[in-house]
Amino acid sequence: MQMLTKFETKSSRVKGVAFHPKRPWILASLHNGSIQLWDYRMGTLLDRFEEHEGPVRGISFHPTQELFVSGGDDYKVKVWNYRTRRCIFTLQGHLDYVRTVYFHPEQPWIISASDDQTIRIWNWQSRQCIAVLTGHNHYVMSAQFHPTEDLVVSACLDQTVRVWDISGLRRKSAAGAQPMMADPLAAQRMGPQGDFFNATDVVVKFVLEGHTRGVNWATFHPTMPLVLSCGDDRQIKIWRMNDSRAWEVDTCRGHYNNVNSALFHPKREFILSDSEDKTIRVWDTTRRTLLQTFRREQDRFWCLTAHPELNLFAAGHDNGLIVFKLERERPAAASHQNSLLYVKDSQIRLHDFASSNDAPMVSIRTAPAGQYLPPPRTMSFNPAEKAVLLTSDAEGGSYELYSLPRQFNGQVSDAGQARHGSGSCAIWTGRNRFAVLDKGAQQILIKDLSNQTTKTIKTPVAVEAIFPAPGSQILLATATSVVLFDVQTRQTVAEISAAPVKYIVWSNDMSTVALLCKHTITLATKQLEQLCQVHETIRIKSAVWDDSGVLLYTTLNHVKFALPQGDTGIIRTIDNPVYLVRVNGGDLHCLDREGNVSVLKIDPTEYRFKLALVHRNYEEVVSIIRNSNLVGQSIIAYLQQKGYPEIALHFVRDDTARFELALECGNMDIALETAKAIDKHAYWEKFSQEALRRGHVQMVELAYQRIKAYDRLSFLYSITGNTDKLGKMQKISIMRNDPQSRLQNALHLGDAEDRVRVLKESGQLSLAYLTAKTHGLGEEAEAIRQLAGIEESDIVGVPDPSKATLLQPATPVLPSTDLDWPQLRVTKGIFDGRFNFGDKTGGPRPGKSRVADLATADVDADDLDDASGAWGIDDEDNLGDGGAAVRDGAAEHGFEDDADMLGDEDGADGGWGIDDDGELDAEIAAEATAAAAAGYVPPQPGVSELEVWSRNSPLAVDQIAAGNFEQAMQLLRDQVGVSSFEALKPAFLEIYTASRSVLTAGPLSSTSRIPLRRNPADASDPSQYLPAQIYSLASSLEQLQQAYRATTSGKFDEAATLFKRLLLSLIFVAVETNEDANEVKQLLQICREYVLGISIEIARVAVSKEPASDENSVRLVELAAYFTHCQLRADHEKLALRSAMNLAYKSKCFKAAGEFAQRLLELVPAPQIAEKARKMITVCDRQSRDTLPINYDARNPFVICAASHTPIHKGEAAVNCPYCHATYKPEFEGGLCHVCTIAQIGASGTGLRSLASA
């Protein structure tokens, strides 16, 4: 038996100790008058209470309230509230030292024993003494309530132990009677006859006489009718009692000095006692024999207590206190695949994780009568031979080898078949051999299954323990390191520094190992290369590896995780320590200290999320964020620390924090949104600075307007050439009566007359005259001179206006009032654009790229309400209109097509007018012929840059820039099946023209054509030369935003034109990374869905304008339904569903209307829209039928034919466009795609190529 010290303090003499029943706290009352409150798990002093005068001898926690009671040599009993950290009242009445104080487990009572020879019971609620127990004739050293019965036991230096019956007191309290102790000395005056006349509520039931000297302590057994007492006669006596009498059972002798306290072990048949002979002794309750003695050389023990629920004890001595337990509570266990072997109740049991079946397999050796046998400490399992090694501390260290039945028949095997041996550790090293550590001789014994030694190995270092390792290797744990040792070669393979290791845990694939110490965990590879080290302030109890390579471990009160890179976190809290054996997803299988197998539910989201970030598995990161609810400041701080502020932004709801994160990751849209919400000058100032740095002109303008930075606004309008708004700033300066700002605006506008007026009104007549004279304003100058009263002859130094150069502000070459400046080059993060802040779930929704960011972007509710009108959605409550006439579709919006990079398809004619300059080739040939005839061969011309472009890139856009139109068209035919190039002709010409510049050297010299490179920095390597490009992914994203805005506004004709332009321009976008190439493909899919969806909506509007008929009514509902199945952005999908819901209801297609309403609710619309959808579902569920024979079934998967706008259900024949992948019915094969208008339906193609290096 061992004393396992859990906590120890150094202080003045401790006279009393008390455990908190729930929290890991212990109170210590000191001889110097102080009371200390300690957290024994953390080892920290929580508080100190110092109001007693003199030593404090008694201390006790209340079992349920936030109270504790103390008694001391100042004759006072004090009741404290440890939450408020103060004494709430004092009970006075004792006339001498108070020895012990305790709370009643149920009643609001306190019992106190005193040197005034009395025991008092107090009601701590009424703060009155309700009983005085008299009868002892010496110091009463202790008094305690029985845990369940109405009894009190007291010990006195009069050599007696008394058992008191307090049932009368309980009955009186239950009846609500007033305490009868108005005169505290009444019972003492009446003497023994008081009990006979029932004058008191407490009577003596038994007087136990047997001690030969004073009794220091007496206590009840928690469950049995036993009393334990100890005293200055150095004896411990056990008494038994029944209803009528009490008698001595036995006496334990062995202490050499006064025995100050003793108690029954709450869970085992043990008695613990402490004495002034500096020992704590453990006795067998049944045989009254001494089992173990624990000695301290310098400290006398004064008090002893047991935890009410845990296997913990505390003892106070001369120099502090010690918290300990007597035996290890960790069950020996080993898991293999889907099974767990563990020891419980002297049996090896088998637990099946899948079925939760649990059955005993083999009985193990038990202790002989009167002896103590410690439980097994470790277990090692050999699955090949069905054998188990158990190691224990018995006999200085021993092991037992058990063979499990290969076919379990439900009967428990006998322990007699076990083989025994001495050794501090035993582990399996192979199928038929195991290693045993002889710690005394520092040898490793290799034994076979018959327990015969086959090999003896001298350890290379002083070894404390051995642990298993892969193959023929084992781990040797020393005091300062762990050594990887090969048993066959007897060589040290590797070594790692570590504190004394208690346990090791290998990962499932044996690639990593966790070395568990008292307060640290070291993670290492199988070659003992350290990965990280985790430190804890409280004890580490167990660990297990997750399948993903994350270590889960437990402390006394937490389940935590550790990543191989060193990141840690808390998974959940636990009430009592557990020992992990297996983790399977969200199920954590563990053993408790009683040997029960249980399953803890955990959320592995956080550590899987962090592991995915560490491994750069960003797809899993996105999936976790989308499907889980990660929250908390810790995850935000972690993401900021790891350099992912754009992901941290996803978890933040506080506007201030979101603002800072948005600026950090460059998300100016979110920064603008939060700045509006905060609306404080400091935030607008900071936002304006960052927006200006990034070149967001319109955002800078808005910020300057909010903070009323008029001078900055004027300068901004000046450098952007926005003279209209600069003129407004001039008017504002006049209204503000700000002459300085007015003068500056006049300077920026070049308005000399206004400058003269400002100077004149400001009293600066000299400057006004000079300005007017300089700018040729003669009449105004003369008027100012007369106003100043100065003769013209007196004015000198005025410049001649004919020779002067007027000061005028430079006019921007390209006025840019609506577009932002060229952006600063920012490295694109892997998560740029992967999240949408403010989506249908009330939080950000991740996408897969910048394209997905735009595709999932939602709009404000107000904007959505405005858009509903443009979409022709009737928001009036029409649930009772009885099927009113179908409302007309959205009004058509005219859109005047501007000249753009793709030109006008209708204006194309034959011949593209590209001159390859054949005359130059003829001149070169003639020169070569003449040189050959003269016998001189000139140097051959170099390769032109255009040809280098053609060689360096397989992309059609680069072939166009090089002038190889035919090759480019052939590439487009092969890749995406383009059969009509009319729509692409303007783009061809623009790409060709934009890839070169023309330089004129002089008036009479010829022009030179200079190729423009995409990457001018790579001038040294011709293999890197590529032409400049005018179509980029960034410009495509801007076009996508414009198209989205047009769609939101209900301008479907304009949106269709924008999406089609974007769709055609994507053929010519060249990118450098696979991620960008994937974004191009996503853009292509978005454009296809929107072109198809908008064409359906335009067709529906056209049908609605035709004369009403049953066929048209059916077609209207069908087209509205098909529109909702196009893959639109969330806000557009909501609008489409609202339109279809209203239209279907008006057409009495109640089943379809209910389905649309249900889908709308799933998108989490605005509250008023959601309420209407719920009403719609309620009404439609009552009728649940469609009056019109519409060709629509939402439960049967389908795609929409882009030509006929009819469904193509799963399994039906279909053909696709090779470029945009629009789907068509077979009869349209061979025709031109209706979506992209360039590719042949059903043609074959290798796929669009936008990555030159692919």
Side-chain angles (χ1 to χ4, degrees), residues 67-70 77-81 86-91 103 110 124:
L67 304 175
F68 68 89
V69 62
S70 62
V77 176
K78 291 181 176 288
V79 178
W80 310 74
N81 186 307
R86 66 184 184 89
C87 175
I88 54 178
F89 58 87
T90 300
L91 303 174
F103 282 103
I110 294 172
W124 59 265

Side-chain angles (χ1 to χ4, degrees), residues 743-1022:
L743 180 63
Q744 292 291 335
N745 291 330
L747 281 169
H748 292 158
L749 286 170
D751 189 348
E753 296 177 355
D754 199 30
R755 269 184 274 168
V756 172
R757 285 195 294 271
V758 174
L759 293 170
K760 183 179 176 181
E761 294 172 2
S762 301
Q764 301 292 333
L765 298 180
S766 299
L767 291 177
Y769 176 81
L770 183 62
T771 303
K773 199 70 173 176
T774 303
H775 288 79
L777 304 176
E779 295 181 1
E780 187 66 25
E782 182 62 24
I784 295 172
R785 185 189 63 78
Q786 295 177 2
L787 180 63
I790 301 174
E791 296 295 332
E792 189 169 0
S793 58
D794 296 335
I795 300 175
V796 295
V798 178
D800 185 359
S802 62
K803 296 180 180 180
T805 302
L806 300 180
L807 178 63
Q808 295 287 348
T811 303
V813 178
L814 294 174
S816 178
T817 58
D818 297 325
L819 299 177
D820 289 342
W821 298 345
Q823 301 290 296
L824 292 173
R825 184 173 182 82
V826 179
T827 303
K828 186 182 74 170
I830 188 66
F831 289 96
D832 283 355
R834 283 180 176 253
F835 304 105
N836 159 42
F837 300 88
D839 69 346
K840 64 185 181 182
T841 62
R845 183 178 63 183
K848 295 184 178 180
S849 62
R850 290 175 294 174
V851 176
D853 182 29
L854 297 175
T856 56
D858 214 338
V859 296
D860 293 338
D862 296 339
D863 297 337
L864 199 60
D865 292 339
D866 297 338
S868 64
W871 279 52
I873 299 174
D874 184 8
D875 277 328
E876 297 297 329
D877 191 356
N878 53 11
L879 299 182
D881 60 3
V886 178
R887 186 167 181 242
D888 290 343
E892 297 186 36
H893 298 272
F895 180 73
E896 185 174 348
D897 194 1
D898 297 330
D900 68 316
M901 56 188 176
L902 295 179
D904 187 359
E905 300 177 12
D906 299 333
D909 53 9
W912 286 5
I914 305 299
D915 186 2
D916 285 337
D917 207 354
E919 295 179 2
L920 181 61
D921 295 337
E923 291 177 6
I924 293 174
E927 184 177 352
T929 303
Y936 168 72
V937 179
Q940 295 296 322
V943 179
S944 69
E945 180 118 356
L946 303 184
E947 186 174 349
V948 173
W949 288 351
S950 179
R951 293 177 182 177
N952 289 346
S953 175
L955 301 183
V957 62
D958 294 332
Q959 299 299 327
I960 296 170
N964 298 331
F965 283 12
E966 288 297 334
Q967 185 174 349
M969 288 190 286
Q970 186 59 44
L971 285 174
L972 293 178
R973 291 191 192 98
D974 296 340
Q975 292 176 4
V976 293
V978 176
S979 61
S980 174
F981 290 91
E982 291 298 324
L984 301 179
K985 175 183 174 181
F988 270 64
L989 295 175
E990 190 171 11
I991 292 169
Y992 179 81
T993 305
S995 63
R996 65 211 69 212
S997 179
V998 177
L999 178 63
T1000 303
L1004 301 178
S1005 62
S1006 60
T1007 60
S1008 299
R1009 296 181 180 180
I1010 302 176
L1012 301 179
R1013 294 178 188 164
R1014 183 185 311 168
N1015 44 356
D1018 299 332
S1020 59
D1021 187 4

